Amino acid sequence: MELTLKRHILNPLLSPKPQHTWESKYVFNCAVIKRNGLFHMIYRAQGEDMVSRLGYAVSTDGLRFNRLESPVFGPASQWELYGVEDPRLTEIDGKVYMLYTAYSPHGVRVSMASTEDFIRWERYGVVIPDIDNKDAALFPEKINGKYVMFHRIEPDMYLAFSDDMIHWDNFVSIAGPRKGYWDNLKIGVGAPPIKLEEGWLALYHGVEKTARPTYRLGFMLLDLNDPTKVIKRSEEPILEPKEDWEIFGGVPNVVFSDAMVEHDGKFYVYYGAADNHIALATIEKEEVLRWVQS
């Protein structure tokens, strides 16, 4: 059986605001975490200077978000001269950690910060310093005594392991592009994984080599005790660009997600559409479990 996400009728949920110079052009790839009954969103935005900054929005229902007028996280080092991009949020032992991409003339690097209120942040800087790297997300708990991180060294998805979340090593490629498939160019993790009895459910994006590369979404299931083992992977995409606002935009033909939240028996997948808007697609958890178990 193959799975398909259902777009929400309220899409797009967030769009650029011309009156805010820092988010006047593009509002897209976001992280969302459900905590203390609220949906907290950290989203990427660009304005006239085309530098990426991160904004904050909050919701009681996961659909209607109130956003702050000013960014809550912006460039603060030479590694971030061109911006801070594509956040993923993971709660570990009561603290929320954010992995994000630092972009500068030096390249792209996986960086980390943490917060307790989504407004004030403790920065740890670049945590994988020596190679262009992005699409990073933390597992929500230690596995075999180690913290575990997804990352992407083109064109493959990797894992890295750490004792302290600052120093990472043992890079292991767990999956790569598939010839003849919708993900034949490169792949990377989407949201931080969700723990099921059957394994770790990981959302990922796959890129197809087309005239303008096409970004789609799929699922992977990883072994609970050894997440370097891929048990299952989507044969067909679960979401692909179809709406005009997903096909045409700052970067055309893109659905790209950093966030998947379990809520009311469903998985809420928040995604950037053509680097212009933030949208939501959902799927029943029971439907995913049937796919996992089939």
Side-chain angles (χ1 to χ4, degrees):
M1 63 177 290
E2 291 302 321
L3 302 174
T4 303
L5 299 183
K6 182 180 179 182
R7 290 169 178 80
H8 200 276
I9 193 171
L10 292 180
N11 281 343
L13 302 186
L14 272 70
S15 296
K17 283 196 170 185
Q19 66 270 33
H20 295 168
T21 57
W22 65 279
E23 58 175 349
S24 59
K25 292 182 72 71
Y26 305 116
V27 165
F28 53 123
N29 307 340
C30 67
V32 181
I33 194 167
K34 187 181 174 187
R35 198 167 189 244
N36 300 326
L38 295 174
F39 291 78
H40 302 274
M41 175 188 287
I42 300 293
Y43 64 93
R44 178 181 170 189
Q46 290 176 310
E48 297 306 315
D49 63 4
M50 291 302 292
V51 172
S52 290
R53 298 173 177 86
L54 303 181
Y56 171 68
V58 64
S59 171
T60 57
D61 62 5
L63 302 174
R64 298 161 185 86
F65 283 85
N66 294 314
R67 56 213 263 199
L68 296 185
E69 292 189 0
S70 301
V72 294
F73 198 90
S77 76
Q78 292 296 310
W79 290 104
E80 300 171 354
L81 289 179
Y82 297 159
V84 290
E85 305 179 350
D86 301 347
R88 277 92 168 176
L89 296 173
T90 305
E91 185 170 353
I92 302 175
D93 297 331
K95 183 180 284 191
V96 176
Y97 291 86
M98 178 175 71
L99 292 183
Y100 65 97
T101 301
Y103 181 33
S104 76
H106 304 294
V108 290
R109 296 292 190 274
V110 174
S111 301
M112 188 170 74
S114 67
T115 187
E116 295 182 2
D117 60 11
F118 304 97
I119 307 298
R120 296 166 296 179
W121 296 85
E122 179 180 358
R123 292 175 180 260
Y124 305 93
V126 172
V127 292
I128 299 183
D130 298 326
I131 189 170
D132 275 355
N133 202 323
K134 62 190 306 186
D135 295 333
L138 290 168
F139 281 66
E141 62 185 56
K142 287 184 176 181
I143 301 175
N144 300 320
K146 297 279 189 178
Y147 295 105
V148 187
M149 175 206 292
F150 283 105
H151 60 113
R152 201 278 299 284
I153 304 172
E154 284 197 24
D156 290 5
M157 277 173 62
Y158 279 73
L159 294 183
F161 300 85
S162 175
D163 292 318
D164 59 5
M165 280 198 284
I166 303 298
H167 305 92
W168 296 87
D169 56 21
N170 192 21
F171 296 177
V172 180
S173 171
I174 65 166
R178 297 178 291 187
K179 187 177 180 180
Y181 279 77
W182 57 275
D183 51 5
N184 62 22
L185 183 61
K186 58 185 177 181
I187 64 171
V189 76
I194 290 178
K195 189 177 186 179
L196 306 175
E197 289 183 6
E198 297 82 0
W200 293 101
L201 180 68
L203 182 72
Y204 80 102
H205 65 265
V207 185
E208 183 181 7
K209 188 176 182 181
T210 50
R212 290 293 299 265
T214 302
Y215 283 70
R216 301 179 177 94
L217 300 180
F219 280 135
M220 284 186 191
L221 185 69
L222 310 180
D223 187 89
L224 272 184
N225 300 311
D226 182 3
T228 65
K229 294 181 179 177
V230 178
I231 298 171
K232 198 164 190 175
R233 183 169 168 181
S234 294
E235 292 289 309
E236 300 292 338
I238 61 174
L239 189 72
E240 60 184 334
K242 286 186 177 178
E243 301 293 335
D244 282 353
W245 43 271
E246 298 167 343
I247 296 172
F248 304 103
V251 180
N253 300 325
V254 171
V255 292
F256 185 98
S257 177
D258 295 343
M260 180 167 61
V261 176
E262 186 175 341
H263 177 65
D264 282 351
K266 296 180 180 180
F267 291 121
Y268 280 36
V269 174
Y270 296 88
Y271 65 97
D275 282 16
N276 263 32
H277 307 278
I278 291 170
L280 170 66
T282 66
I283 190 167
E284 296 287 341
K285 182 178 180 180
E286 283 302 319
E287 190 177 348
V288 176
L289 291 178
R290 287 196 295 272
W291 174 80
V292 164
Q293 296 163 0
S294 65

